Amino acid sequence: MSADDFIVTPWHVEGDIDYDKLIKKFGTERISSELLGRIRTVVGEDHFMLRRGIFFSHREMNRILDDYQKGQKFFLYTGRGPSGHTHIGHLVPWVFSKWLQEKFDTNMYFQLTDDEKFFSKSNLTLEETNKFAYENALDFIALGFKSNKTKIIINTKNIQTLYPIAAQVAKKINFSNTKATFGFTNETNIGMIFYTALQSAPCFIENKPVLIPLGVDQDPHFRLTRDIAPKIGKLKPALIHNIMIPALEGPGGKMSASDNNGTIYTTDSPNVVKKKINKHAFSGGQPDIEQHRKIGGNPDIDVAYQYLRIFFEPDDNKLKAIYEDYKSGKLLSGELKAILIEKINDFLSIHQEKREKAKDKIHEFLLENK
Ligand code: TRP
């Protein structure tokens, strides 16, 4: 891998991602200002994650909107591979999905792929990934989804529902397709080889168009789904992609649920959050105060600033002021981190309460096999 190169696959993200190149490579479309305007017109407002390019790319959003305006509703689908506790980066597509669900009044499905993480992580047992599935479900529910319109799918529990659809899909994907898409080798276990059929299955759980908000690393699965959809008489899933959320230690590489220090978990205490940010968050500031005052910081590579932009400061004016003050040297790196720490801890204190309450409600959300 050369210096300006990068890798983005569902199981491996590495390097400094050039999103323009990635759009070309994957064959997706950038969210244009026209599309943004159209969403604003249909919905009556937009979301800061759209305005700021956190959601930056899509496949067939225009068809979804065309159909919607003709009275054809769609449903939403996203998911999570339960390889560990939920970290704040995971919440990005979920929070955005919640907004879409409210604005378009849709059903929503959330898939927890305990099988996938068992197949892909040599150190995890199926019991562990299943336990994490329930833990992650609490974070999802805590965001305020309503159980009458939202169902959680746990692969090992809902296989009876998924399997007939997955079988349709699996018959149309051959080994050379998956191999080329994911870089499988002869050593890859066959659970992985079949898995994409299971991630495809919820796309066809209702006989309606589906829109999937997702991290762009998941796009390859749905490229395959889209290829085979017409062959099984189904509509292609439409997608809307978010950028990879940087790890605390810096740009290049997404937040990983298995790296303790590089990650802020939704269950972290205020003190742990403070320590992690102060110690590990990559700074775009200068080595000492004198230089920082003179030269200023670089918000574009500063992880504390990026977290504010991506999630924790929805107010554009406040964000802009922080950007300018940091760039001019008025705002120091430690002060910027303090702003973020407070924002995260405010968010988490409420989230953790709702997460506790979710324990009593989880059964309402779990999909029942028919
Ligand atoms: N494979 C995803 C992950 O590792 C989980 C997932 C399942 C998913 N279905 C999805 C993600 C649909 C986005 C959209 O996190």
Side-chain angles (χ1 to χ4, degrees):
M1 202 173 79
S2 65
D4 60 358
D5 240 342
F6 57 88
I7 300 169
V8 178
T9 78
W11 297 291
H12 186 61
V13 177
E14 194 184 321
D16 209 347
I17 303 163
D18 178 332
Y19 286 101
D20 285 318
K21 275 195 198 161
L22 190 64
I23 283 174
K24 279 216 183 96
K25 199 164 140 193
F26 280 7
T28 70
E29 281 178 73
R30 168 121 359 229
I31 297 177
S32 64
S33 47
E34 286 80 16
L35 178 55
L36 211 68
R38 191 169 177 204
I39 295 172
R40 211 176 283 138
T41 310
V42 176
V43 174
E45 64 176 50
D46 66 10
H47 192 279
F48 73 89
M49 289 181 187
L50 279 171
R51 275 199 306 277
R52 296 180 190 169
I54 311 307
F55 279 83
F56 71 105
S57 156
H58 73 106
R59 293 183 188 269
E60 286 196 297
M61 261 307 281
N62 279 305
R63 172 177 48 93
I64 291 288
L65 294 173
D66 289 344
D67 287 350
Y68 181 81
Q69 287 185 301
K70 284 184 217 143
Q72 168 66 69
K73 280 230 183 136
F74 60 93
F75 69 97
L76 290 162
Y77 158 44
T78 192
R80 149 99 178 123
S83 55
H85 283 290
T86 309
H87 57 63
I88 54 175
H90 291 130
L91 303 179
V92 168
W94 308 354
V95 165
F96 185 65
S97 298
K98 171 97 195 324
W99 181 78
L100 289 173
Q101 184 183 36
E102 272 166 23
K103 296 297 155 191
F104 291 95
D105 187 29
T106 66
N107 286 344
M108 158 104 214
Y109 295 85
F110 185 65
Q111 182 182 39
L112 286 157
T113 57
D114 51 348
D115 55 343
E116 175 197 9
K117 293 298 155 175
F118 172 61
F119 294 143
S120 68
K121 302 270 180 184
S122 56
N123 60 329
L124 288 176
T125 66
L126 201 50
E127 288 71 30
E128 286 167 328
T129 59
N130 188 250
K131 190 194 90 197
F132 284 132
Y134 283 94
E135 291 291 324
N136 297 165
L138 298 177
D139 290 297
F140 178 78
I141 295 166
L143 296 177
F145 291 96
K146 301 279 176 292
S147 61
N148 60 341
K149 288 197 159 271
T150 311
K151 288 295 161 242
I152 295 175
I153 300 167
I154 298 179
N155 280 7
T156 59
K157 303 297 167 207
N158 292 118
I159 191 63
Q160 190 183 329
T161 302
L162 298 177
Y163 196 67
I165 319 173
Q168 298 286 337
V169 174
K171 192 170 180 177
K172 299 296 176 193
I173 300 177
N174 63 36
F175 183 44
S176 78
N177 290 152
T178 36
K179 206 171 154 186
T181 306
F182 301 113
F184 292 153
T185 67
N186 279 348
E187 282 66 47
T188 306
N189 68 61
I190 63 172
M192 294 284 283
I193 294 164
F194 181 77
Y195 169 73
T196 205
L198 280 170
Q199 183 155 327
S200 298
C203 295
F204 309 119
I205 201 160
E206 285 190 27
N207 203 8
K208 274 190 208 153
V210 62
L211 174 63
I212 310 176
L214 74 175
V216 68
D217 60 326
Q218 297 297 316
D219 181 80
H221 285 297
F222 297 110
R223 220 142 66 209
L224 289 173
T225 319
R226 285 171 54 84
D227 284 347
I228 65 92
K231 298 182 189 164
I232 59 170
K234 303 282 187 195
L235 284 169
K236 294 183 180 196
L239 313 176
I240 183 158
H241 307 99
N242 65 262
I243 57 169
M244 303 318 295
I245 310 308
L248 274 185
E249 271 110 348
K254 65 171 170 174
M255 256 199 175
S256 156
S258 41
D259 172 7
N260 248 313
N261 288 327
T263 303
I264 291 170
Y265 296 101
T266 58
T267 47
D268 282 347
S269 70
N271 230 344
V272 168
V273 170
K274 188 173 172 190
K275 275 197 196 129
K276 281 184 181 173
I277 305 257
N278 280 332
K279 190 147 179 242
H280 298 286
F282 182 85
S283 168
Q286 303 304 331
D288 61 56
I289 294 187
E290 200 185 325
Q291 279 188 67
H292 189 90
R293 293 276 186 231
K294 210 159 91 197
I295 312 170
N298 182 355
D300 297 320
I301 60 165
D302 190 286
V303 169
Y305 176 78
Q306 289 307 318
Y307 282 14
L308 290 169
R309 181 177 84 92
I310 292 169
F311 198 96
F312 290 101
E313 184 48 86
D315 184 320
D316 287 347
N317 290 328
K318 285 188 189 154
L319 187 73
K320 189 161 174 263
I322 292 170
Y323 185 92
E324 281 165 5
D325 287 350
Y326 194 56
K327 222 176 154 89
S328 74
K330 190 172 153 205
L331 188 68
L332 299 174
S333 187
E335 294 167 338
L336 175 60
K337 286 185 176 185
I339 296 175
L340 178 67
I341 291 165
E342 195 183 328
K343 288 266 175 195
I344 295 182
N345 283 336
D346 285 351
F347 172 83
L348 286 184
S349 78
I350 298 168
H351 182 82
Q352 287 168 4
E353 245 173 64
K354 291 188 182 157
R355 195 180 185 280
E356 274 309 301
K357 294 203 180 114
K359 291 180 182 168
D360 300 327
K361 286 195 289 194
I362 187 166
H363 61 276
E364 295 169 27
F365 285 87
L366 298 178
L367 183 77
E368 277 177 45
N369 292 314
K370 288 221 179 75

